[in-house]
Amino acid sequence: FPLTWAPKMLAIYLWNVVSIASYGGLIVIGWSWLRRSVSFRMVGISLVAATAAVMVLPTMSLLLSQGQTASILALMVGLDALVLRGKRQGILTGIAAAFKIYPAFFIGFWVVRREWRPALTALASGAATTLLAWALWPQHSYRFFLERSEEHTSELQSRVDISYAVFCLKKK
């Protein structure tokens, strides 16, 4: 995992920067979808707004402090649903769904609209990402899918290292 190559505090800092930038990206997508244009000023204002929101809104600051992936996955799905077009549409949603299951619900967005290509692309990219992860980390994948225990999941709930737990799996 690339973030495990960095010192713990640097990894946490980088994760927080990427998360806040993802919130900013979501704001930019929303504004550009409404106004049909993006400017550097809009991007700057969006990043400032995202940073302020994380400092002011308890839910966003809690998610950030726990190292959650929600903002990054939401950005991937938002880009896929509202920005990307053509053969690539669906790839990011599939990758996001390989990490957490809730982005897979957005495949229904395309199914309801009878847009089969992005729905199938999302399914294929999600399966490919899962298979790639299994090939690269077979022990972790086996344990995640087939040996999940209450002990393993409660280990990640520790308040002390919960933020760091998203960066690497603890070895027993």
Side-chain angles (χ1 to χ4, degrees):
F1 307 113
L3 286 174
T4 61
W5 301 335
K8 180 178 178 178
M9 292 310 297
L10 178 61
I12 291 170
Y13 174 78
L14 291 173
W15 188 262
N16 289 339
V17 167
V18 169
S19 294
I20 292 171
S22 295
Y23 286 132
L26 286 166
I27 294 169
V28 169
I29 289 171
W31 276 112
S32 66
W33 195 69
L34 291 172
R35 299 188 68 193
R36 302 285 183 215
S37 66
V38 176
S39 66
F40 285 114
R41 183 173 184 223
M42 181 193 307
V43 171
I45 291 170
S46 296
L47 290 174
V48 169
T51 303
V54 166
M55 291 189 300
V56 174
L57 300 172
T59 304
M60 291 177 77
S61 60
L62 181 64
L63 289 174
L64 189 66
S65 71
Q66 292 180 347
Q68 295 293 314
T69 59
S71 63
I72 298 164
L73 299 178
L75 178 63
M76 292 171 74
V77 171
L79 285 168
D80 233 0
L82 301 173
V83 177
L84 297 178
R85 297 288 175 249
K87 292 181 180 182
R88 289 188 230 152
Q89 191 176 24
I91 292 174
L92 293 176
T93 298
I95 293 169
F99 285 93
K100 292 260 190 185
I101 195 67
Y102 74 84
F105 289 106
F106 287 91
I107 296 170
F109 168 78
W110 290 305
V111 170
V112 168
R113 295 175 60 163
R114 298 183 185 267
E115 295 179 24
W116 308 114
R117 180 185 286 272
L120 293 172
T121 301
L123 289 171
S125 68
T129 302
T130 302
L131 290 173
L132 177 64
W134 196 292
L136 292 174
W137 301 287
Q139 293 173 330
H140 293 296
S141 298
Y142 180 83
R143 200 164 74 211
F144 179 81
F145 286 110
L146 303 173
E147 290 184 355
R148 304 255 343 219
S149 68
E150 190 172 309
E151 176 189 333
H152 175 70
T153 53
S154 65
E155 186 176 275
L156 294 177
Q157 299 305 315
S158 152
R159 280 295 206 187
V160 177
D161 278 336
I162 198 160
S163 201
Y164 191 62
V166 299
F167 305 124
C168 60
L169 296 171
K170 292 181 181 180
K171 294 184 179 179
K172 292 192 176 195

